[in-house]
Structures are given as structure tokens and as C-alpha cells.
Amino acid sequence: EAQIHPQYASWSHAKAMMVFGGKTVIAGLPPLLLVQASSLMVASWLGPAALAVYSRPLGLMRNAQTFLNKFAFVLTPTAGSLQESGRTEDLRNLFFQSTRIAVAIALPIVLVLSLQGDLLLRIWMGARYEQGVLLAVLALGQFLPMTQQPVMTILIGMDKHGRIGLIGLATSAVGLVIGLSVAYTTGWSLMKAAVMVSVSFSLGTGLAIFLFACRRLDVSVIEYLKRSYAVPAICNIPLVLCLLASRFLFLNQSVPAFFVGCGIGVLILLPLYFRYVLPLRLRKDFSERVRKIQAKYC
């Protein structure tokens, strides 16, 4: 059905595509700027060995964020279609549901890395790389940006991401300037680098998107928190208890403390997510598939 010919090209379309692409590039710059700049600063002031220690928590958070990004990419065309057809209420529901799923995915990751990150680093890399507090600061700083990644893709689909991209870039630049000032005046450390990255991320690519999207979609902040954050947060209370209990039960045993706490916590979390987080349509579809399998083999 597609027809490609030079006569169909127009400067107006090319200009619109370049503007849209430029705004998308700007929106993706803050994480790159902050992570690479903080790594260069750590290497310059503290040396390659400190950079190796700093890179391990950053790598864990980057993998978690990549997982959320893959989930969120599919929302851009959906949001654009809903906006074009004038289905504003459906767009708001997409806003709520996508954030709710993002919170459900991001919160267990952040809790595990915050409460048992030192155990994971010890098991993975050894005691030399055990920086639990550093990983906890980075994980907590990434929580809000991770949950807002689907919202950012919705804004891209609505072509409303230019201003928020500039805000994120400006926040990252300010955070970087403050970090450089601190480094020159009081010295540099891994914790200062983590705080700089976490605060800049939370404000520029987290809170700013949060407030901007609520304003654009005419949604109150309280309603957004209740419909998107409250239920996943309550469901994760047993996971927190399991992670804390396993640390006390296995004080000097990293492997049992980590895997027992995570294993039992996830086993409790999954049915809670199925009942209270998963949309009704998906629950019905899953139940129907299970019934078909039971009818076929039982």
C-alpha cells in the first residue's frame, strides 16, 4: 500500500520530522549527560579503581531502566492515535494504567537493590565492590524517572515532549555544575556522585514529567498518585518484610539472605499483582488460557 516517490516529498513534512526528532533527541540527553559526566568526574578525581566500583551499581540501574524502556516504547503510537481521534478519556486511562504497570515493575527492583543491594554486589563481584548505600541512593533516585518513562513516551506520541526535554536537560546541566563546584571546593567521592545523579534524575526526568503530564492531561496530582502508585505500593509491603526478615535470619550468609528473601517475597507478590494490579481483561485472558490447558491435558 505504501507508495514511495520523490514527488511525494515536501519541505513542510521534512521540517516537521526534523523538529520532532530534535525534540526526541533532547529528551534523551539528560541520562547520557549525567551518567557519562559523573563517570568522568569519578575517574578524574578518584581514579580507575573507584570508577570500576562506581560502574557496577550504575550498570544494574541501567539494565533495570532498559527493561522499562522496552515496555514503554509501544505506547507512543497508541497515544498519538488516541489524541488524533479525540479520545481524551481513553488517553487519561492509558496514562494511569501505564504508570501503574511501570510502578509495579520498578518498585520491586528498587526495593531489592535498596534493601539487599550490598548482598547482590557481594555475591556478584565480591566484597571489594560491596557498596550497598551507594546502590540504594542510585536506586531510589531512579525510581521516579523509571515510573515516568511510559509517561514520557505518551508525551512523545502527543508531540508534547519538547518543553519537558529542555527542562530535563537544563536540570541535568545545573546538577552537573553544582557537582563540579562541590568537587572543586570540598573534594569528590562516590557518594557525592551518586547524590548528584539521583537528585538530578529525580527532578529533571521524574518530578518534572510527573507534574507536566498531569497538567497536560488535566489530571490532579492526588488522583494520579491514588490510581497509579497506591495499589502497587501496598502490594509490595510483604516484599519489604521478607527482604528485611531474611537479612536478620541469615546475618552472615549473603546467598541465603538474598535468594530466600527475594524468592519468598516474589512468590507472595505475584498473586497480589495478579489480583490487584493486572487489568481485568488480562486476568480474564490468562484464566481462559489456563482453562484451555487444563481441558486439553487433564
Side-chain angles (χ1 to χ4, degrees):
E1 297 179 356
Q3 297 182 6
I4 302 174
H5 196 277
Q7 69 179 4
Y8 299 136
S10 68
W11 171 244
S12 60
H13 287 162
K15 182 180 178 180
M17 292 175 65
M18 286 189 290
V19 171
F20 182 87
K23 291 190 291 186
T24 305
V25 170
I26 291 174
L29 283 178
L32 181 64
L33 176 65
L34 281 171
V35 171
Q36 297 303 322
S38 65
S39 297
L40 287 173
M41 292 167 67
V42 168
S44 300
W45 267 277
L46 303 177
L51 178 61
V53 175
Y54 181 66
S55 298
R56 297 306 180 270
L58 278 180
L60 288 173
M61 296 313 307
R62 184 165 54 249
N63 290 333
Q65 194 166 31
T66 299
F67 182 77
L68 263 296
N69 290 345
K70 300 300 182 184
F71 153 73
F73 282 152
V74 300
L75 300 176
T76 295
T78 304
S81 176
L82 292 175
Q83 183 193 34
E84 186 67 20
S85 58
R87 297 163 60 183
T88 305
E89 191 59 35
D90 290 335
L91 190 59
R92 290 195 187 98
N93 289 332
L94 179 67
F95 174 53
F96 291 130
Q97 291 182 7
S98 61
T99 307
R100 192 178 191 182
I101 297 298
V103 174
I105 296 173
L107 188 55
I109 297 173
V110 170
L111 289 175
V112 169
L113 295 180
S114 299
L115 297 177
Q116 293 199 345
D118 56 335
L119 303 180
L120 176 59
L121 290 171
R122 188 189 306 165
I123 296 169
W124 177 31
M125 298 298 299
R128 182 182 175 185
Y129 291 86
E130 186 180 339
Q131 294 286 335
V133 178
L134 182 72
L135 180 54
V137 171
L138 289 171
L140 293 172
Q142 285 281 0
F143 173 66
L144 194 55
M146 287 170 66
T147 62
Q148 292 304 299
Q149 186 58 40
V151 179
M152 189 62 187
T153 60
I154 290 175
L155 292 174
I156 292 174
M158 298 170 61
D159 196 14
K160 300 295 183 183
H161 58 299
R163 184 179 300 177
I164 197 64
L166 290 174
I167 292 174
L169 184 60
T171 304
S172 301
V174 171
L176 185 58
V177 170
I178 294 174
L180 286 170
S181 302
V182 171
Y184 276 111
T185 55
T186 64
W188 199 236
S189 67
L190 296 181
M191 186 56 62
K192 290 177 181 177
V195 170
M196 180 193 76
V197 171
S198 296
V199 172
S200 300
F201 270 149
S202 295
L203 295 178
T205 58
L207 184 62
I209 297 176
F210 182 109
L211 299 176
F212 182 82
C214 286
R215 182 180 177 183
R216 280 292 179 183
L217 294 170
D218 195 22
V219 173
S220 71
V221 172
I222 300 299
E223 181 186 8
Y224 181 46
L225 290 173
K226 288 173 61 177
R227 295 185 60 175
S228 300
Y229 284 81
V231 172
I234 294 173
C235 290
N236 274 274
I237 292 176
L239 175 62
V240 173
L241 297 177
C242 290
L243 295 175
L244 293 175
S246 66
R247 290 194 69 105
F248 286 105
L249 291 175
F250 304 97
L251 286 176
N252 298 316
Q253 304 176 62
S254 301
V255 175
F258 180 78
F259 286 102
V260 171
C262 293
I264 297 176
V266 169
L267 289 176
I268 297 173
L269 187 63
L270 287 177
L272 292 176
Y273 271 9
F274 182 82
R275 175 64 180 84
Y276 297 107
V277 176
L278 206 64
L280 179 60
R281 178 180 57 83
L282 294 180
R283 294 206 306 268
K284 289 182 177 179
D285 182 64
F286 179 80
S287 301
E288 184 64 26
R289 290 174 182 270
V290 171
R291 282 194 293 270
K292 289 181 179 180
I293 294 174
Q294 290 177 339
K296 183 176 180 180
Y297 294 104
C298 298

